[in-house]
Amino acid sequence: MWITESYDPNACSIGWRNNWLESWTWEEYKEQKEKFWDQIVLVDMINHPILDSVTISNELFDPSNKPKWTVFALYCHSGWSSWYIQMQITPQLPMYKFVNIAGGIMSY
């Protein structure tokens, strides 16, 4: 095994987040929610629910509960934990789209 095959080289790029993981500001989230209201689920990862959010759970990502076109917008305190979860679950659940809310709840 070659070490260069075990990681994504974009992870070291200055613009690495934008290269392979999507993130939205709260304003972008609101714009997208207005356009595609039934397709976007706002996911509370820190037990600080805000309007229209759903607490993270295993059942939330069950394919029998949500259609394949569902977009999960993840938020935490700062945006870092939700980015980390986004990075971990995106490859595991390729039928869904995951978006990190930049700045987390502190920017709400």
Side-chain angles (χ1 to χ4, degrees):
M1 176 177 91
W2 296 97
I3 191 68
T4 55
E5 295 172 3
S6 64
Y7 69 93
D8 183 341
N10 289 326
C12 296
S13 165
I14 292 173
W16 58 271
R17 275 190 168 189
N18 295 326
N19 289 337
W20 54 285
L21 292 176
E22 189 166 352
S23 112
W24 292 341
T25 64
W26 282 105
E27 285 304 313
E28 290 170 318
Y29 163 76
K30 291 173 190 173
E31 290 169 10
Q32 294 299 323
K33 186 69 173 177
E34 201 171 288
K35 290 182 200 172
F36 307 105
W37 65 274
D38 64 335
Q39 297 177 16
I40 299 173
V41 177
L42 181 61
V43 182
D44 169 21
M45 299 180 46
I46 53 175
N47 201 23
H48 284 98
I50 56 178
L51 183 64
D52 297 325
S53 69
V54 177
T55 303
I56 193 166
S57 69
N58 289 332
E59 295 78 29
L60 183 61
F61 305 116
D62 182 344
S64 65
N65 292 336
K66 299 289 181 202
K68 291 182 181 177
W69 43 256
T70 303
V71 176
F72 292 98
L74 311 172
Y75 75 89
C76 65
H77 289 293
S78 66
W80 286 104
S81 293
S82 52
W83 166 79
Y84 182 75
I85 294 297
Q86 176 192 21
M87 182 178 67
Q88 298 299 310
I89 62 177
T90 295
Q92 295 176 32
L93 298 167
M95 71 288 269
Y96 300 129
K97 180 175 180 178
F98 293 92
V99 176
N100 178 44
I101 302 295
I105 199 168
M106 299 173 104
S107 300
Y108 178 66

